[in-house]
Amino acid sequence: MKHIIHTLHSCTLQDGNTVVATGTGGQLHITFHTQEIIEVSYHFDSVPVDETLMEASRYITQPASSLVLDQPIVITEENHAFVLTCGQSRIVLERRYASVSLWYGGILQHGGRVGTADTVLPDYQIRCFTKPDSPDSFGRFNFPLFSADEFYGLGDKSGSPNRRGRRFSMFNRDSLGYDAANSDPLYKSVPFLLRINKEDRVTCGLLFNQSQIRLFDLGRESPYFFSVEVEGGPYSYVALLGENYHEVLKNYYSVTGFPALPPLFSFGFFGSSMNYVESDDAEKRILAYFSTIEKHQIPCEGMYVSSGYLKSPDGKRYTFLWNKEKFPDYKAFLTSLSKRGYNLCMNIKPGILTSHPWYEELKEKGYLIKDQDGTPYEEFFWGGEASFIDFNNTEAKQWWKQQLKEQYLNHGCTGIWNDNNELELEDFALEAYKTKSLYPIKMAEASYEVFKEAQPDRRPWIYSRSGYAGLQRFARTWSGDNVSDWKSLHYNQLMGIGFGLSGLPYFGHDLGGFFGAFPEEELLVRSCQSAVFQGRFVIHSWREDGNPTEPWSYPTALGSIRSLILEHYRFMPYIYTCAYEAAVKGLPLERSLHLEFPEDASISPNSVHSLFGPSLLKVLITEKGKQNTTVYLPKDLWWYDQDGNAWNGGTEVSVSYPPGGEIRWFAKEGAVIPTAEGCTHLQDALFEHVVLLVFPIKTATKQISSTYFEDDGVSELHTGRYTVWEYCVTEGQLTITKAKGGAPSKKNRIVTVRIAGGQTFSFDPDTFEAGASRSYAIEG
């Protein structure tokens, strides 16, 4: 049976911020969380929504409960519509078809009628369907699509950051060896769309706050509409408005949670390979890795420890059960590495094999996801049939947390790597099927909580391969089991931009590729060049012959890779500041030039070059055999290359870029880039010798402000143990302000200001009081 809402006849304000419009077939609830965050919810007569699905929706948008509306809602009635006004937002509820149109700042941002009177297209923005004597339902949203519409977001998706013209399945899949240009689905599905239309000045976000979304069709089916298919409801979405895409992303985070800032050390270089712990001499191989790192004087913060430590003599991986033949005294082993200053992020999987020694006990206690008959549901997992820990079960979650504490935290491990957590359930009769998309978030939440319970004021280090909207509250991520080829290198860079536009700012890629043939030397070096400006610098691989990819895999490339890692550390003050701004402002680390400079029509959304943070244009080569590239510099401002040469924007620059130990980049005029001379270890973010690279203003009347963040590298922001510096560059002048002082003091620190063009001077940062400013004349 088809269900629609039409012929609206009344519209009233309820509960202070919710407007209820009633018509034939049901009601529309329009909730103004703020004037820019508006939830549209359809309540169909005779279509019940399961409480489990309602609870899942509330979990996705839990942070929105703290939002406060500070503008009045005004309802007016017209002949064919009800009009709701709140601040800059205006919503038109068309009576006949109950269609919704959202206006912001006088511009239509979302909605309206699909097609024209002459096109045979759906008149209703949503239709719901049910079967007789069944509680199940299915809904399809259809919204108008315009010729200049572009779409971004949706999470872990292949191909171009602009999703226009494609159809995506919202199913989290273990995607070993995926095609980075075409494969779908992948590991993470984030039901958030950023709609951009430069011609019509549209910037709008849409969050579909349900756990059972089938797919997004963004113009693949029709040039007239885009659609979203949802199972079971609730049938709603949250519209996110703003002056630009930065504001829309910030509003998205206000609804789903701002990113949890990871500790400083997690942004450094880490070792990783499945091959280290798969072998019988795993302990020896791990120690050999760190010895070789120290021998070559390569900065390294630790290791991502893959699951081979759980691989039993029968070849199966038993969660939490260490292989005692490989690690006779694993507690002492972990503790010894911790005392050497290495951070270990331990791989753990939620699938419990039916042959696991603890399986029957977990079954008896009811800690496993259940089948329809109440017994543990079994599914093929890594190594055989398995059941999965039920993180919705409070006791099961607490048991899991206790195991994390006893096996890892108590022995110096500082991170948890939640892996193989896609929960690929396909049996729709399962109760767990309703919320399978939230499973990786609940798993990450458990990992996050056990660290917080142990050290409430310290930031946890949590990784998750899979995810959904809200994952960023607990974990960072990466692009999964990519292929060792040039195609993956290229499209992984575009995927990175997509991550940032999906609410996942802290990401990275397995450098050199995880799967497939051993990477050729040029590919490995180019991969490492791409990671200098990135939040994760990890060479991670798996080879059937047991040969991992390592910095010294090619003796002729070792010097280059070491130099690139050192360059990553040199720019760590800037990278870490960008990470801080992602946590408090919702700004992506890697940004699309196409979206950052919307007035410049010369920039393609498929540009592999990106803006890292607010000031650095990151230059890449992702094609084999190329020794140079062409970079378009966005117009209406000047840019500086790393040698201090100034270039006028709006032009293309040819850049020589061999695959070696140097990188290429451009800085905006007015930028102040904090760097750390001689940094080789990330003990804290109070670097002993900070060099501020200052790029003078060349455009008259322009004023550029930027931020620098310092702290101990681990304390939660709510403790206030951090310092924020603000820099303002105008024509001929640099002003430095200690906007907030709270970081612990550290002796013998010095800050050197280095102006592009040659001028240099230094100062002692401890001579600044909080709130104090100093101005310096600079030459451009």
Side-chain angles (χ1 to χ4, degrees):
M1 176 181 292
K2 181 173 71 173
H3 303 264
I4 55 176
I5 301 173
H6 63 95
T7 317
L8 300 179
H9 56 75
S10 67
C11 189
T12 59
L13 178 63
Q14 298 182 5
D15 301 324
N17 67 337
T18 298
V19 175
V20 177
T22 304
T24 301
Q27 296 179 330
L28 270 72
H29 290 206
I30 312 295
T31 300
F32 291 81
H33 295 286
T34 70
Q35 64 167 312
E36 296 177 338
I37 301 174
I38 303 165
E39 186 169 355
V40 180
S41 182
Y42 297 82
H43 298 254
F44 296 95
D45 293 344
S46 305
V47 180
V49 177
D50 187 287
E51 179 55 31
T52 298
L53 297 177
M54 293 296 297
E55 180 60 31
S57 181
R58 289 190 288 268
Y59 181 77
I60 293 169
T61 60
Q62 179 188 6
S65 61
S66 63
L67 296 173
V68 177
L69 178 66
D70 59 0
Q71 296 284 337
I73 301 171
V74 178
I75 304 173
T76 57
E77 188 172 345
E78 300 180 355
N79 289 336
H80 303 292
F82 295 102
V83 179
L84 320 178
T85 304
C86 181
Q88 294 191 67
S89 297
R90 179 172 174 265
I91 299 180
V92 179
L93 304 179
E94 188 264 344
R95 287 177 183 265
R96 183 177 179 185
Y97 301 112
S99 63
V100 179
S101 300
L102 278 73
W103 301 70
Y104 183 76
I107 298 171
L108 177 65
Q109 298 289 329
H110 168 71
R113 186 176 179 183
V114 175
T116 68
D118 296 323
T119 54
V120 184
L121 295 169
D123 290 317
Y124 299 95
Q125 290 179 343
I126 182 171
R127 292 161 289 159
C128 188
F129 301 90
T130 58
K131 293 180 180 179
D133 302 319
S134 172
D136 298 331
S137 62
F138 164 73
R140 179 177 168 120
F141 290 94
N142 287 287
F143 300 116
L145 180 65
F146 301 93
S147 60
D149 279 351
E150 301 172 358
F151 295 97
Y152 300 87
L154 297 186
D156 211 349
K157 299 301 178 186
S158 61
S160 169
N162 180 8
R163 316 303 192 193
R164 173 69 183 262
R166 294 189 64 186
R167 177 182 294 169
F168 294 97
S169 172
M170 302 301 284
F171 185 96
N172 294 340
R173 178 76 74 188
D174 183 341
S175 308
L176 173 68
Y178 62 87
D179 181 335
N182 298 298
S183 288
D184 181 70
L186 299 179
Y187 305 93
K188 289 167 283 292
S189 303
V190 179
F192 167 68
L193 272 181
L194 177 65
R195 176 172 168 254
I196 302 289
N197 186 314
K198 294 185 179 182
E199 291 183 4
D200 297 334
R201 296 161 56 203
V202 170
T203 304
C204 176
L206 296 173
L207 167 67
F208 290 85
N209 50 332
Q210 303 87 22
S211 60
Q212 291 192 134
I213 298 178
R214 288 187 185 178
L215 61 83
F216 282 80
D217 187 301
L218 304 176
R220 179 73 174 269
E221 178 180 345
S222 169
Y224 294 103
F225 61 83
F226 67 96
S227 60
V228 185
E229 295 183 2
V230 179
E231 295 180 66
Y235 297 105
S236 60
Y237 61 88
V238 183
L240 306 153
L241 309 173
E243 295 290 343
N244 52 56
Y245 91 91
H246 288 180
E247 291 186 7
V248 170
L249 277 179
K250 187 174 183 178
N251 285 330
Y252 169 77
Y253 288 129
S254 296
V255 173
T256 62
F258 279 80
L261 178 63
L264 169 69
F265 64 77
S266 70
F267 293 93
F269 176 72
F270 281 83
S272 187
S273 175
M274 273 190 66
N275 295 117
Y276 297 141
V277 281
E278 291 294 296
S279 61
D280 292 336
D281 60 345
E283 190 171 299
K284 185 181 297 184
R285 293 196 72 172
I286 292 173
L287 293 174
Y289 178 85
F290 287 123
S291 293
T292 309
I293 279 286
E294 293 165 1
K295 171 187 172 183
H296 293 303
Q297 297 182 319
I298 297 173
C300 183
E301 304 304 315
M303 179 176 285
Y304 290 87
V305 182
S306 296
S307 62
Y309 71 96
L310 302 171
K311 190 175 182 180
S312 70
D314 67 4
K316 295 183 178 180
R317 297 166 203 272
Y318 294 134
T319 299
F320 293 129
L321 293 184
W322 284 74
N323 184 317
K324 296 294 184 65
E325 294 180 10
K326 294 182 182 181
F327 298 91
D329 188 350
Y330 71 89
K331 297 178 181 179
F333 180 71
L334 295 176
T335 302
S336 67
L337 288 175
S338 175
K339 288 181 177 179
R340 287 173 62 180
Y342 291 118
N343 294 281
L344 302 179
C345 193
M346 306 303 295
N347 184 292
I348 197 69
K349 307 177 191 304
I352 308 296
L353 294 173
T354 56
S355 55
H356 194 296
W358 298 353
Y359 185 85
E360 289 301 322
E361 179 185 354
L362 295 172
K363 174 182 176 180
E364 182 69 23
K365 290 182 176 180
Y367 290 176
L368 304 172
I369 287 174
K370 294 180 175 61
D371 208 334
Q372 294 94 318
D373 62 3
T375 61
Y377 178 79
E378 295 180 13
E379 183 62 87
F380 183 80
F381 196 58
W382 203 355
E385 294 296 316
S387 299
F388 296 86
I389 296 294
D390 183 359
F391 290 103
N392 287 323
N393 180 321
T394 302
E395 292 183 1
K397 181 180 179 183
Q398 189 60 38
W399 174 85
W400 182 268
K401 290 163 60 176
Q402 185 63 29
Q403 292 302 318
L404 293 177
K405 183 178 179 181
E406 292 179 3
Q407 302 294 332
Y408 310 123
L409 273 67
N410 287 350
H411 314 297
C413 295
T414 51
I416 297 297
W417 171 7
N418 298 291
D419 202 15
N420 296 89
N421 55 344
E422 288 75 23
L423 195 67
E424 298 181 58
L425 301 182
E426 296 179 326
D427 185 347
F428 54 81
L430 295 173
E431 181 68 16
Y433 178 88
K434 299 174 184 177
T435 58
K436 61 183 173 60
S437 60
L438 301 184
Y439 190 81
I441 306 179
K442 295 294 185 75
M443 185 183 181
E445 182 180 40
S447 300
Y448 185 88
E449 286 178 357
V450 74
F451 277 100
K452 292 296 289 181
E453 290 166 6
Q455 295 180 294
D457 291 337
R458 186 182 176 101
R459 302 196 298 267
W461 176 31
I462 311 299
Y463 260 86
S464 178
R465 189 171 75 173
S466 185
Y468 204 68
L471 176 67
Q472 73 280 356
R473 302 203 292 254
F474 309 112
R476 52 189 304 175
T477 190
W478 84 106
S479 57
D481 297 342
N482 59 353
V483 177
S484 299
D485 63 13
W486 289 93
K487 183 179 186 180
S488 292
L489 173 61
H490 179 84
Y491 281 99
N492 278 165
Q493 311 313 309
L494 301 181
M495 287 173 69
I497 291 173
F499 280 141
L501 297 172
S502 303
L504 299 168
Y506 309 127
F507 65 87
H509 315 290
D510 286 349
L511 303 177
F514 174 82
F515 177 77
F518 200 90
E520 55 195 278
E521 181 175 347
E522 183 185 0
L523 174 62
L524 179 57
V525 173
R526 288 295 192 203
S527 296
C528 291
Q529 286 178 328
S530 76
V532 170
F533 294 125
Q534 198 173 94
R536 178 183 186 265
F537 202 131
V538 178
I539 297 173
H540 180 49
S541 62
W542 171 63
R543 303 278 176 264
E544 288 190 83
D545 63 3
N547 186 25
T549 310
E550 296 171 314
W552 45 86
S553 290
Y554 295 98
T556 50
L558 172 60
S560 294
I561 293 174
R562 184 201 295 114
S563 294
L564 294 169
I565 294 170
L566 286 168
E567 193 74 344
H568 180 70
Y569 276 70
R570 183 168 79 94
F571 279 96
M572 189 56 63
Y574 179 74
I575 295 170
Y576 190 51
T577 297
C578 293
Y580 160 76
E581 293 195 321
V584 298
K585 299 179 182 179
L587 299 174
L589 272 69
E590 292 196 38
R591 309 178 187 182
S592 164
L593 292 170
H594 177 70
L595 299 184
E596 284 290 313
F597 301 95
E599 303 301 321
D600 196 332
S602 299
I603 306 174
S604 166
N606 297 325
S607 172
V608 74
H609 310 307
S610 62
L611 194 71
F612 189 88
S615 303
L616 282 178
L617 198 163
K618 176 179 175 179
V619 180
L620 294 176
I621 287 183
T622 57
E623 297 175 59
K624 181 179 180 178
K626 289 192 66 175
Q627 297 287 320
N628 55 73
T629 188
T630 299
V631 180
Y632 175 80
L633 304 177
K635 66 180 182 180
D636 297 332
L637 72 162
W638 285 79
W639 296 84
Y640 291 82
D641 61 26
Q642 66 268 30
D643 297 322
N645 301 309
W647 302 81
N648 200 354
T651 59
E652 286 191 336
V653 178
S654 180
V655 178
S656 174
Y657 199 172
E662 295 183 352
I663 56 170
R664 299 288 182 265
W665 49 269
F666 291 85
K668 283 182 181 179
E669 63 174 325
V672 179
I673 310 296
T675 64
E677 290 287 312
C679 177
T680 58
H681 182 53
L682 301 178
Q683 184 174 359
D684 57 49
L686 300 166
F687 302 100
E688 292 182 5
H689 187 192
V690 175
V691 176
L692 302 178
L693 306 180
V694 180
F695 301 90
I697 292 286
K698 296 184 73 69
T699 305
T701 72
K702 190 179 285 290
Q703 176 176 303
I704 302 294
S705 297
S706 56
T707 297
Y708 174 37
F709 172 78
E710 295 181 316
D711 75 340
D712 62 9
V714 294
S715 291
E716 287 283 13
L717 296 179
H718 70 75
T719 65
R721 291 171 57 83
Y722 62 90
T723 295
V724 175
W725 298 85
E726 292 181 355
Y727 307 122
C728 181
V729 181
T730 57
E731 192 174 15
Q733 183 171 282
L734 165 66
T735 300
I736 299 176
T737 303
K738 191 175 185 178
K740 180 193 179 303
S745 60
K746 191 173 183 180
K747 295 181 179 180
N748 302 319
R749 298 181 65 219
I750 188 170
V751 175
T752 298
V753 178
R754 188 174 297 160
I755 314 297
Q759 183 184 357
T760 300
F761 59 89
S762 299
F763 64 88
D764 181 349
D766 288 336
T767 61
F768 275 73
E769 297 291 335
S773 297
R774 297 178 191 171
S775 295
Y776 304 90
I778 59 174
E779 298 176 4

